Amino acid sequence: MEPTNDDDHRANGSDHNHLPKRPKLSTSSFITDSQIREEFSHHQKGIARINNGSFGSCPAYINAAQKRWQLRFLKQPDDFFLNHLQKCILHSRTIIKDVINAEHVEEVSLVDNATTAAAIVLQHVGWAFAEGRFQKGDAVVMLHCAFQAVKKSIEAYVTRAGGSVIVVHLPFPLRSEGEIVAEFRKALAKGKDNGKKVRLAIIDHITSMPCVVIPVRDLVKICREEGVDRVFVDAAHAIGNVHVDVKEIGADFYVSNLHKWFFCPPSVAFLYCRKSPVSPDLHHPVVSHEYGNGLAIESAWIGTRDYSSQLVVPEVLEFINRFEGGIEGIRTRNHNAVIEMGQMLANAWGTVLGCPPDMSPSMAMVGLPASLKILSNKDALNLRNHLRDQFGVEVPIHYQEIKDLRDSDACVTGYARISHQVYNTIDDYIKLKDAILQLARDGVTCKMLCPE
């Protein structure tokens, strides 16, 4: 029976009917716990790996499939590249088109990662400034917690061509989506000061640090109402983590990595570009002989390289369909589990989650004891390294600045960003819980963890 998720985020839509049909399996055909352990047995022993969000995870079934694709190329490269590669990449693109409910397969390109996709979109916007189609001083709006590579791409392509940047500062901890919407509206209004225009809005679907699900559908709708030219949703964490329906979301551009939560090997992402008059002006930053044949074709040939990460998508779908409910079932169980584990940790540490459960994906921000005195990004990194080196726990730590450090003895200034993927067990989180409790009992502060 298909599992339901009554807590599905408004931002992500609710129509699941566009997903590829799964084979009808009996309950006994679904993957077992022991088979899951076997699929991820290559993970380093003794490490509580609760950071799937950073690099994802690739099961043995897909590792083997990737090696088969690599050998197929190496056996006869000429035949493979000339007669098979493009058809096989098209097959992968078609699967992704169905998963995300795109209208046309031509709207789906496969690229290396979300950073490459951001370069494609921002290069396009930069050209519009440089060629005079956008006026100097017109704005790009982005969230303050946008990924650093996106910020650098804005610097490289947009600001040097004359565009300005308006940053939406989101509060954290968060209590409601309304706080995000209010700040976003303020930024759009600022972008239209003195007769200027907002040419591009960059909206994260799931922010990385701190981790929050953004109501993208609502923000895209506001952009349309306010006359924003283009909307780019950076959803690096999204596919396999939250429900994705690009028609419902309504953005011009949408990117998500396939190696984070969709079980592909590094590195591969899809870039959705809604069909429009600007589509022909989108180009891959690596120019090869397919230049001018459309972004999807350009991206499918950027010279001799290993394309196997893009070719295993059919096998990935086979692996996903071994789980009850397929991708929707996986993400629902991961979300429920990470909230349960997050609340367990918060209770043990006497803290709270950084945002409501319905604003958390398969990751959650859990407040750390104030006694650890996480008072800088360096402190957060030192604690992360200490947990890895001394306790065998891999988890990112977020430093949240507070206005008055005199209150730091009582305020939560650090959060653990925990992930849950199918290979995680309760023991992973207990290991983290006990490590933090031991540090607190021993009176350890982050200042004491500074490397010599």
Side-chain angles (χ1 to χ4, degrees):
M1 181 176 178
E2 180 80 5
T4 60
N5 182 10
D6 295 333
D7 294 326
D8 205 357
H9 310 305
R10 287 190 301 111
N12 302 323
S14 58
D15 179 10
H16 299 178
N17 294 329
H18 63 267
L19 292 174
K21 290 184 178 179
R22 292 184 289 273
K24 292 183 179 179
L25 302 174
S26 66
T27 303
S28 60
S29 299
F30 295 129
I31 194 167
T32 65
D33 289 344
S34 62
Q35 288 172 331
I36 292 173
R37 288 194 296 272
E38 185 177 345
E39 287 288 352
F40 296 97
S41 61
H42 54 279
H43 287 182
Q44 185 175 339
K45 300 295 186 291
I47 300 294
R49 189 172 186 244
I50 45 183
N51 182 30
N52 190 83
S54 285
F55 298 105
S57 52
C58 190
Y61 181 75
I62 305 306
N63 289 331
Q66 182 181 32
K67 289 178 181 176
R68 289 195 299 271
W69 280 111
Q70 291 168 333
L71 287 173
R72 183 174 172 185
F73 156 62
L74 292 171
K75 284 194 295 186
Q76 224 301 31
D78 300 80
D79 178 59
F80 182 75
F81 271 113
L82 295 174
N83 298 319
H84 302 287
L85 177 62
Q86 297 304 312
K87 290 185 293 185
C88 295
I89 290 180
L90 176 60
H91 184 36
S92 292
R93 288 170 47 216
T94 301
I95 290 172
I96 298 303
K97 173 249 180 192
D98 291 338
V99 170
I100 66 174
N101 197 28
E103 187 71 30
H104 307 285
V105 71
E106 291 80 9
E107 297 175 318
V108 178
S109 302
L110 293 182
V111 295
D112 282 352
N113 46 47
T115 302
T116 303
I120 291 168
V121 173
L122 291 164
Q123 172 185 254
H124 162 73
V125 173
W127 286 338
F129 278 104
E131 295 167 0
R133 286 176 281 129
F134 294 167
Q135 299 303 309
K136 304 292 184 183
D138 284 351
V140 170
V141 170
M142 70 172 184
L143 307 186
H144 84 277
C145 45
F147 197 62
Q148 189 65 19
V150 173
K151 294 178 181 179
K152 292 294 186 181
S153 288
I154 291 173
E155 179 184 332
Y157 292 112
V158 177
T159 56
R160 71 179 294 176
S164 63
V165 179
I166 295 173
V167 179
V168 183
H169 290 278
L170 300 183
F172 188 82
L174 274 164
R175 295 294 168 254
S176 72
E177 293 178 344
E179 296 175 84
I180 299 172
V181 172
E183 293 301 317
F184 190 76
R185 285 189 181 276
K186 290 178 188 177
L188 292 186
K190 184 178 179 182
K192 295 195 292 184
D193 283 349
N194 302 317
K196 297 297 183 181
K197 294 184 178 180
V198 178
R199 296 301 187 172
L200 177 71
I202 304 174
I203 305 169
D204 298 76
H205 197 158
I206 302 170
T207 58
S208 180
M209 276 293 219
C211 172
V212 177
V213 177
I214 303 295
V216 287
R217 190 171 58 183
D218 292 346
L219 299 191
V220 171
K221 183 180 178 183
I222 291 169
C223 288
R224 301 307 182 199
E225 293 169 351
E226 296 296 328
V228 176
D229 276 28
R230 295 158 176 68
V231 182
F232 172 37
V233 175
D234 180 359
H237 286 275
I239 189 168
N241 197 346
V242 292
H243 182 63
V244 175
D245 185 326
V246 293
K247 287 182 187 175
E248 286 192 355
I249 292 167
D252 299 286
F253 314 110
Y254 188 102
V255 61
S256 188
N257 288 318
L258 297 173
H259 54 260
K260 282 187 181 288
W261 294 92
F262 200 71
F263 300 109
C264 282
S267 59
V268 58
F270 75 85
L271 173 60
Y272 162 82
C273 301
R274 188 172 64 171
K275 228 173 190 180
S276 74
V278 306
S279 298
D281 196 34
L282 291 161
H283 297 283
H284 197 285
V286 177
V287 177
S288 192
H289 72 264
E290 292 289 1
Y291 181 84
N293 289 328
L295 178 62
I297 302 302
E298 288 183 18
S299 301
W301 177 259
I302 54 170
T304 302
R305 65 185 296 277
D306 183 359
Y307 291 90
S308 60
S309 294
Q310 300 181 9
L311 299 174
V312 297
V313 172
E315 288 88 350
V316 169
L317 191 63
E318 290 175 5
F319 176 76
I320 286 170
N321 286 340
R322 293 171 65 189
F323 291 80
E324 185 175 6
I327 194 62
E328 299 295 348
I330 291 171
R331 75 171 188 85
T332 299
R333 288 187 291 274
N334 280 338
H335 168 75
N336 292 340
V338 84
I339 296 303
E340 181 182 355
M341 293 298 97
Q343 290 172 335
M344 179 271 290
L345 293 172
N347 290 338
W349 299 337
T351 62
V352 295
L353 299 184
C355 65
D358 64 353
M359 295 180 69
S360 299
S362 300
M363 300 183 284
M365 303 298 295
V366 188
L368 290 160
S371 64
L372 294 175
K373 294 189 180 299
I374 302 169
L375 302 179
S376 67
N377 289 321
K378 183 179 179 181
D379 285 345
L381 180 60
N382 287 339
L383 177 57
R384 178 179 183 172
N385 291 338
H386 189 73
L387 289 170
R388 178 193 304 119
D389 297 340
Q390 301 301 319
F391 294 96
V393 175
E394 189 62 65
V395 65
I397 307 297
H398 170 67
Y399 163 62
Q400 182 62 40
E401 184 178 5
I402 58 176
K403 293 182 179 179
D404 190 347
L405 285 178
R406 290 175 298 179
D407 296 333
S408 62
D409 287 340
C411 292
V412 172
T413 57
Y415 292 80
R417 189 195 75 182
I418 63 170
S419 298
H420 192 282
Q421 186 49 288
V422 297
Y423 55 80
N424 286 120
T425 68
I426 190 171
D427 291 341
D428 296 329
Y429 306 92
I430 291 174
K431 194 170 184 177
L432 171 61
K433 179 198 72 172
D434 292 344
I436 295 298
L437 289 177
Q438 180 178 324
L439 293 174
R441 281 195 305 268
D442 293 346
V444 174
T445 66
C446 286
K447 187 176 182 181
M448 299 163 62
L449 303 178
C450 291
E452 295 181 0

